[in-house]
Amino acid sequence: MKKYQLIRYISLIFSLLVFNNLQANETTPSPDTVRLLASQCAQCHGTTGNTLGDFDSIAGDTFDELLNELLDMHADNDNEIMHKQIKGYSKEQIWYIADYYANLPKNSNEDKSEEKEEDKEDEVDEEDEEDEEDEEDEEDEEDEEDEEDEEDE
Amino acid sequence: MNNFNRRDFIKLMGISTAAVATPSLIKTASANGGLSARVVVVGSGFAGSTVAKHLRLWSNNLIDVTVVDPHFAHVSCVMSNLVVNEQLAMSDITFQHAVLNEKYGVNFIKSSVSSINHEAAEKQVFLENGQTLLCDYIVLAPGISFDDIPGLDHQKVPHAWVAGPQTKLLREKMKAILGGDTFVMTIPKAPYRCPPGPYERACVIADMMKKKGGGKVIVLDLNPKIIVEEHMFSNAFSEIYGGIVEYIPNIEIKAVDSDDLIVYTKNHGEFKADVLNVIPTHRAGKIITDLGFNTVADRWADVNPISYELNNTADVFVIGDSSGTSQPKSGHMANSQAKICADAIIRKIANRPLDSQERLANLTTNSACYSPITSTTATWLTAGFIYNQDEQRMKAIPASLGEAELHHVDHYKDMFSWSKNLFENTFM
């Protein structure tokens, strides 16, 4: 563990030396740019960072927790989707993203109940889909009877 | 393992805490009172819905946003192969536009656009229902249209590549197909919507045939090889579905007989099917060429990826599958692009530059997706992009490119978490 921490400190300091040569002030993101940058996490983690399903919720986690977790994934070689995604960002960008979500409110009660409901839906989807679907299909057909389908719009 | 804390990091980074944006500061910066403007969004798929939602959200509801779409709801292509094999219902992938209206105040008009006048500062959008909308900015998100193939009738030979009635048609045909029958599908020339999608469909269909006791799934690819996750899909074709899937690359289609279900090729003879699924090569939504906008490769809208504004046409933006960029065409990517577009429009309204270093150096998009390989396992694929100022395009970041080594039940479960959040971030 200690060796690993040391390596990370060294690599971070090294990257910051490079970073400082790139004129930090010019590329330091404005608040709107931080919002845009952070919004690119929301496809998988939800508009408010309160995530549905089994992916980690990120809103309201402490800054330290988010930053360390993201930097760990940034540094390792694991072939997992989030570990690959985070490698698309610089350490500076990760710092701003962690700060952004650490400052969003965690919607703890709603999140839990929503997750339970979602899990139930999954089971229904996978096991009893036939009954459910027949009913829905009848509705669908009525709605879509006269729709054209050649194009999206 | 909190071995790093905020103070350490700030020290290391040499950044002052004053530069740190808190959400309250962000809100104040956006709600500067100068954001009143009207935006018309044409099309409400992944791109259109995301831009509409974020224009409202990020302007503190100051921007007036009207979405025009011929349907009250969008049926998602994402996850639609699981409607074909009946693991999901149509309602699971159908999203009512009323939700964005109720939650964010996005106006919705059920109609199509017949024409636009974008020359004047006050633009006009003419609708099929006779209405004329006046606005300051126009965002076009019309999805895709298809090349013509002689003899092809999509009421008999579904593409099922725009979800909705076509998905249902393919599902009905798959209900009727028998063990031992032959399914033939064609894969369009790249770039097309959802790069792994056709290979995923071949797997889903082959899994259905396997469960019916066998049969043939002939995959006619217009590309020279499997264009993504080659190892995964070629293994699936030869091992999991060995003896069922026959994959043939470099196909050139001559014509289709939609009654007798035959594909005639220029270089591999003809293929007779019991169920035929022809997905023609794509181009930008019809409205792009109808309105005479510049195109790249004679197919896609010619846009600047820092804003998705059309090159040579100010204040008209094209996002999603219709735009011609270096990024893949997918629902996830359309969502990603739409946020850059929303941010660009907000800055234009506030008379702030789009090409400041602080913005260009941090312009990112990403794509992530899961593909079912069997009815219980899936794979994943991901890529991150950042704006390259020298090349003036979004460029893939090599370290961020990845794909699953194995198809797995855990990835199958994650696929539902991914799609739920993507749907929420886009349509709710």
Side-chain angles (χ1 to χ4, degrees), chain B residues 182-428:
Chain B
T182 300
F183 178 95
V184 178
M185 67 178 289
T186 72
I187 299 181
K189 235 184 175 32
Y192 56 79
R193 163 178 286 178
C194 187
Y199 308 106
E200 165 190 315
R201 175 167 293 169
C203 289
V204 167
I205 299 286
D207 181 71
M208 294 173 81
M209 295 309 293
K210 201 172 171 178
K211 289 184 173 128
K212 286 178 189 252
K216 273 279 181 205
V217 175
I218 300 175
V219 182
L220 304 176
D221 196 341
L222 273 61
N223 299 292
K225 60 172 193 161
I226 295 172
I227 66 164
V228 285
E229 297 180 79
E230 189 181 2
H231 180 71
M232 175 71 69
F233 287 116
S234 62
N235 269 1
F237 292 169
S238 63
E239 285 169 28
I240 307 169
Y241 304 117
I244 294 179
V245 172
E246 185 184 343
Y247 173 79
I248 309 172
N250 282 314
I251 288 287
E252 290 178 59
I253 298 175
K254 191 158 64 183
V256 169
D257 183 329
S258 297
D259 292 314
D260 290 338
L261 305 181
I262 302 169
V263 180
Y264 298 97
T265 74
K266 291 178 184 167
N267 51 350
H268 276 276
E270 60 185 68
F271 296 88
K272 168 96 176 87
D274 296 296
V275 173
L276 182 55
N277 174 208
V278 172
I279 309 165
T281 296
H282 307 357
R283 51 180 62 248
K286 205 166 160 289
I287 192 172
I288 305 295
T289 38
D290 280 359
L291 294 173
F293 292 127
N294 284 1
T295 52
V296 288
D298 209 23
R299 283 185 183 275
W300 313 107
D302 183 15
V303 297
N304 181 346
I306 73 166
S307 61
Y308 295 86
E309 193 170 19
L310 280 162
N311 287 320
N312 304 320
T313 308
D315 302 332
V316 180
F317 302 77
V318 180
I319 47 175
D321 293 346
S322 273
S323 65
T325 73
S326 48
Q327 302 156 104
K329 299 183 186 301
S330 71
H332 192 113
M333 179 52 83
N335 169 305
S336 195
Q337 295 175 351
K339 289 166 182 165
I340 290 182
C341 179
D343 175 78
I345 291 173
I346 288 168
R347 286 179 203 240
K348 282 195 90 160
I349 294 168
N351 279 319
R352 290 167 55 204
L354 302 184
D355 59 355
S356 56
Q357 272 304 311
E358 63 85 17
R359 184 171 187 268
L360 293 188
N362 295 292
L363 269 190
T364 66
T365 57
N366 64 70
S367 181
C369 68
Y370 289 82
S371 291
I373 298 292
T374 69
S375 59
T376 54
T377 63
T379 173
W380 56 260
L381 176 67
T382 186
F385 293 80
I386 189 156
Y387 186 68
N388 183 300
Q389 297 190 46
D390 294 331
E391 298 176 29
Q392 300 190 340
R393 66 185 184 106
M394 297 300 290
K395 210 169 174 186
I397 301 159
S400 75
L401 304 177
E403 60 186 67
E405 282 154 43
L406 302 164
H407 60 110
H408 198 275
V409 286
D410 287 348
H411 304 332
Y412 185 87
K413 283 181 192 148
D414 285 346
M415 177 168 67
F416 291 91
S417 296
W418 163 70
S419 59
K420 260 171 209 157
N421 287 292
L422 180 58
F423 293 154
E424 181 277 331
N425 189 227
T426 305
F427 300 111
M428 296 172 209

Side-chain angles (χ1 to χ4, degrees), chain A residues 79-91:
Chain A
N79 191 40
E80 288 178 40
I81 197 160
M82 186 58 214
H83 297 240
K84 289 290 179 185
Q85 276 277 332
I86 200 62
K87 291 183 179 65
Y89 300 89
S90 68
K91 291 189 176 72

Side-chain angles (χ1 to χ4, degrees), chain B residues 65-171:
Chain B
V65 181
T66 301
V67 171
V68 181
D69 192 282
H71 309 301
F72 281 121
H74 181 75
V75 184
S76 164
C77 284
V78 172
M79 302 294 273
S80 64
N81 279 332
L82 293 191
V83 172
V84 173
N85 77 358
E86 301 185 78
Q87 287 191 306
L88 291 180
M90 284 296 285
S91 58
D92 293 324
I93 58 165
T94 302
F95 301 96
Q96 303 296 330
H97 303 318
V99 174
L100 290 187
N101 175 270
E102 284 156 20
K103 242 177 134 174
Y104 304 99
V106 172
N107 305 311
F108 176 76
I109 298 175
K110 183 176 183 291
S111 187
S112 300
V113 172
S114 53
S115 172
I116 68 175
N117 173 12
H118 56 82
E119 306 288 339
E122 183 169 66
K123 300 178 190 334
Q124 295 167 295
V125 179
F126 304 101
L127 306 187
E128 298 285 1
N129 69 4
Q131 263 181 286
T132 300
L133 306 177
L134 302 174
C135 63
D136 308 294
Y137 302 92
I138 298 172
V139 182
L140 302 173
I144 51 167
S145 60
F146 295 121
D147 282 4
D148 289 332
I149 295 175
L152 180 58
D153 175 354
H154 278 306
Q155 297 314 310
K156 295 171 182 166
V157 178
H159 50 73
W161 217 243
V162 175
Q166 281 278 306
T167 313
K168 195 176 291 174
L169 184 60
L170 183 59
R171 182 182 64 187

